[in-house]
Amino acid sequence: MRRLLGTLVTLLLLGTLVAATPTAHASRMPSKRTWQAQNAKIMRGSVTWLRERVESRHPTEKLAINLDIDNTSLASYYAPGKPVRPTLRLARVADSLGVKVLFNTARPEKGKRKAVRELRRAGFPVYGICARAKGLSVVEGKQDCRARFRKRGYTLVVNVGNRPTDFEGGGFEKRYKLRSYGGRLS
Ligand SMILES: [Mg+2]
């Protein structure tokens, strides 16, 4: 009887462990609320900075902001299809000030039209989108897209992204880096 009880307890404990495993993994990811609060904090001041930059612009300058898409503009992990609010706010202010809103994504080129639909549905003004050309790494693709924007005459005044690869190589004035949680957010 005692042995049977012992076995039962062991089985119960094992069952608890097995059941806990997936949630234990998920719980290592910060909550959506934490992520949103962190985004708001990181983006604080971005609208003011943009307004001031626009006020001091040279009349010949064509200003634009460069936005990463996944987990920067669209909440791809925490709320698929929904916008990242502080980024959307910045994009709308940019639009109202005549600053073009350009998207720079490591998604492959064949996904561009779908991305534009998703962005518009989430409320973003979309003036341009550049996706990663075949054969380029993520960093190279991001740099290539910024170079293409600049070649079209744009000064990239703000770059918003959530991974280090969104910023490598420069070519913009001000950066706002949201979280990737050690690369777990694309
Ligand atoms: Mg991203």
Side-chain angles (χ1 to χ4, degrees):
M1 186 64 189
R2 194 175 251 183
R3 188 182 273 180
L4 184 63
L5 253 173
T7 312
L8 268 175
V9 168
T10 311
L11 279 176
L12 268 173
L13 278 174
L14 272 176
T16 316
L17 270 177
V18 169
T21 306
T23 44
H25 177 73
S27 73
R28 283 202 296 272
M29 213 54 192
S31 69
K32 182 176 164 189
R33 190 179 281 236
T34 299
W35 176 69
Q36 286 172 329
Q38 289 175 337
N39 289 342
K41 196 173 169 198
I42 292 162
M43 294 298 284
R44 203 171 289 156
S46 60
V47 165
T48 308
W49 191 90
L50 183 68
R51 284 188 195 283
E52 286 172 3
R53 179 62 182 84
V54 170
E55 267 172 40
S56 69
R57 75 187 265 271
H58 190 274
T60 59
E61 276 184 317
K62 270 169 69 182
L63 305 186
I65 61 173
N66 176 96
L67 305 179
D68 165 49
I69 296 181
D70 291 304
N71 304 298
T72 294
S73 299
L74 296 175
S76 309
Y77 175 81
Y78 283 101
K82 297 282 190 296
V84 175
R85 287 284 161 192
T87 309
L88 177 61
R89 179 162 173 254
L90 182 69
R92 284 182 168 164
V93 171
D95 189 27
S96 76
L97 296 172
V99 175
K100 302 299 182 215
V101 180
L102 308 174
F103 292 88
N104 182 339
T105 181
R107 292 186 188 186
E109 274 187 323
K110 64 176 186 330
K112 253 167 44 172
R113 279 167 71 174
K114 182 173 170 248
V116 170
R117 275 201 306 276
E118 286 175 350
L119 289 163
R120 294 216 162 111
R121 214 177 290 139
F124 281 93
V126 183
Y127 283 89
I129 182 167
C130 179
R132 179 158 52 119
K134 249 192 185 152
L136 296 187
S137 71
V138 170
V139 178
E140 289 167 344
K142 294 279 177 170
Q143 290 178 353
D144 173 55
C145 284
R146 289 200 298 276
R148 284 200 239 173
F149 292 150
R150 287 196 304 272
K151 219 174 270 173
R152 280 161 56 187
Y154 290 114
T155 299
L156 305 176
V157 291
V158 174
N159 182 11
V160 190
N162 75 316
R163 282 190 155 201
T165 46
D166 291 321
F167 305 95
E168 263 179 55
F172 51 87
E173 294 177 4
K174 181 94 175 159
R175 79 169 65 193
Y176 292 93
K177 188 193 169 297
L178 305 182
R179 308 296 300 272
S180 78
Y181 301 130
R184 282 180 292 167
L185 290 186
S186 59

